[in-house]
Amino acid sequence: MIPSLPLLAVGLLLTVALAQTVQFQEYVFLQFLGLDKVPSPQKFQPVPYTLKKIFQDREAAAASVDSRDFCYIKDFGIRGNVLRLLPDQGLFLYSRKLSQASSCLQKFLYFNLSAIKEKEQLTMAQLGLDLGPNTYYKLGPELELALFLVQEPQVGDQPIPKPGRMLVLQSVPRPQGVVHFNLLDVAKDWNNDPQKNLGLLLEILVKGNRDIGVTFQLQDACAGLRQSLRASLLVVTLHPEQCHPSSRKRREAIPAPKAPCKNLCHRHQLFINFRDLGWHKWIIAPKGFMANYCHGDCPFSLTTSLNGSNYAFMQALMHAVDPEIPQAVCIPTKLSPISMLYQDNDDNVILRHYEEMVVDECGCG
């Protein structure tokens, strides 16, 4: 039997309404996660060892019911609940053979801090320069890193941005791995006034005199450095409203005895699989988490034995006297946090801590 047109229209309207409801709920949840829309990165960026280690340490602590402060980052000795790895969006300025000048290479560095929300407080900004393995420099001369604030924006055919205040001047005899520099004050200045963020100028210099053979070798070393050089800015922020100390002072509920009836208030298992939501395309880890939920009846006779508060007991008592007063309901009484490692639309790798995401215990309230 073919459905009538009115039934098809009603079905279509219900489908559209349901889709809009799901989209709205997803939007609200993304707002809670600090995102404006579902990220759609082309591919996952490499996760630095530091972020991976912090995430793994937090997962291990959560599994062991560790009561640590997840808004304190022990590895850095600072407070924060959002760690962002901002990729360099700059470019190499020019390439030329080494002459009498001591410059090996110059690069314009730029980091977009717009992802930082208004209420977030910057607690760390660490520039990381990955100089690659030291095989390029085993027989090479000593190098020197010079880092400047850009004083004026690059315009037209200007070969290089105009350098301003020097931030770093450091010798690197044998570059290997990543070298780090503290740019917290600079990042705070940029975050308070984005128009001041004109980027940085990095210059790698050669120290000492060179003969022809060394110059030829140095050209190879500089070419290799140009290929291997990677720059990133690790910024850590603290959102006070999401990391207030009182949010972690949860009351210790007395473990409820096994409910004699499955209809009574207790915790039910609920695993949220990010693949089911299509979020596996931007969430790096975890693949999902056991969120759980609370459900069940809160009868007056058993309210006190179901992790119920004194208020819930009085509410149940009044409900017995006056049925118009709502009965006590089954709610979470103890929650625990999770951490998520994901990538946003700006190719930033983010490690974020979220309070009260997992239901550990339920009770009547």
Side-chain angles (χ1 to χ4, degrees):
M1 180 178 178
I2 301 177
S4 63
L5 287 178
L7 287 177
L8 287 174
V10 170
L12 179 61
L13 289 174
L14 288 174
T15 302
V16 172
L18 180 60
Q20 290 177 342
T21 301
V22 172
Q23 289 177 354
F24 175 75
Q25 291 174 340
E26 182 180 60
Y27 172 77
V28 171
F29 190 66
L30 288 172
Q31 289 286 309
F32 166 73
L33 296 181
L35 298 168
D36 297 325
K37 59 181 180 179
V38 176
S40 55
Q42 297 298 318
K43 64 178 181 178
F44 281 136
Q45 297 293 327
V47 180
Y49 171 78
T50 302
L51 293 190
K52 192 178 298 184
K53 179 180 179 297
I54 294 174
F55 175 78
Q56 292 172 347
D57 289 347
R58 289 181 171 183
E59 277 208 320
S64 63
V65 199
D66 193 336
S67 60
R68 74 171 64 180
D69 181 357
F70 282 88
C71 287
Y72 175 77
I73 305 173
K74 183 179 179 181
D75 300 67
F76 302 134
I78 58 171
R79 286 186 60 75
N81 67 318
V82 186
L83 294 85
R84 294 182 176 91
L85 188 72
L86 309 180
D88 170 35
Q89 300 179 10
L91 45 84
F92 288 97
L93 296 174
Y94 58 84
S95 176
R96 61 180 175 79
K97 293 183 178 180
L98 295 175
S99 58
Q100 296 300 320
S102 62
S103 178
C104 183
L105 64 81
Q106 288 182 318
K107 191 175 193 304
F108 171 62
L109 306 179
Y110 183 80
F111 303 99
N112 185 359
L113 273 64
S114 62
I116 300 175
K117 305 302 180 183
E118 183 178 355
K119 294 184 179 180
E120 294 179 36
Q121 302 170 359
L122 264 168
T123 58
M124 191 183 91
Q126 185 183 76
L127 174 66
L129 296 177
D130 188 349
L131 303 173
N134 66 352
T135 53
Y136 294 128
Y137 317 104
K138 282 184 177 178
L139 301 175
E142 184 178 17
L143 301 180
E144 191 171 63
L145 299 180
L147 187 68
F148 304 86
L149 278 174
V150 172
Q151 187 173 1
E152 296 178 2
Q154 188 174 3
V155 292
D157 296 329
Q158 181 181 346
I160 61 173
K162 185 175 181 181
R165 177 167 61 95
M166 177 181 286
L167 301 174
V168 174
L169 183 62
Q170 177 174 318
S171 295
V172 185
R174 288 191 177 184
Q176 182 177 12
V178 183
V179 290
H180 298 102
F181 304 100
N182 180 11
L183 295 185
L184 180 59
D185 292 337
V186 172
K188 283 183 175 180
D189 198 30
W190 288 347
N191 193 47
N192 293 333
D193 186 359
Q195 292 184 352
K196 292 183 178 180
N197 184 4
L198 301 177
L200 304 167
L201 178 62
L202 171 67
E203 185 170 17
I204 297 185
L205 311 169
V206 180
K207 299 181 68 175
N209 297 323
R210 310 184 303 277
D211 55 32
I212 297 177
V214 173
T215 299
F216 178 78
Q217 181 189 25
L218 183 60
Q219 290 176 5
D220 289 342
C222 290
L225 179 59
R226 184 185 178 95
Q227 291 180 354
S228 63
L229 179 65
R230 298 290 184 274
S232 60
L233 186 68
L234 178 61
V235 294
V236 180
T237 61
L238 175 71
H239 196 304
E241 295 178 1
Q242 297 175 357
C243 273
H244 198 275
S246 61
S247 67
R248 289 182 297 279
K249 293 180 180 177
R250 305 180 184 91
R251 71 178 182 87
E252 293 297 328
I254 301 174
K258 291 186 178 180
C261 177
K262 64 179 181 180
N263 293 329
L264 294 180
C265 175
H266 66 283
R267 185 186 67 175
H268 299 255
Q269 288 190 343
L270 171 63
F271 181 78
I272 295 181
N273 189 330
F274 292 134
R275 180 172 289 275
D276 294 340
L277 300 173
W279 291 2
H280 64 290
K281 297 176 182 178
W282 55 276
I283 295 180
I284 302 171
K287 303 302 180 184
F289 70 101
M290 190 67 74
N292 304 322
Y293 67 97
C294 297
H295 182 69
D297 299 330
C298 290
F300 166 67
S301 59
L302 293 176
T303 300
T304 54
S305 64
L306 295 176
N307 283 353
S309 63
N310 292 333
Y311 177 81
F313 175 79
M314 294 303 299
Q315 183 177 353
L317 179 63
M318 293 306 298
H319 174 75
V321 176
D322 184 357
E324 291 188 2
I325 296 176
Q327 193 172 15
V329 295
C330 187
I331 59 173
T333 57
K334 186 176 181 181
L335 296 147
S336 58
I338 67 167
S339 293
M340 286 174 51
L341 191 61
Y342 61 93
Q343 189 168 316
D344 65 10
N345 280 313
D346 295 321
D347 287 334
N348 301 322
V349 177
I350 302 172
L351 174 59
R352 187 162 187 153
H353 166 80
Y354 295 101
E355 293 275 2
E356 302 182 343
M357 293 287 286
V358 177
V359 175
D360 294 323
E361 296 179 8
C362 301
C364 296

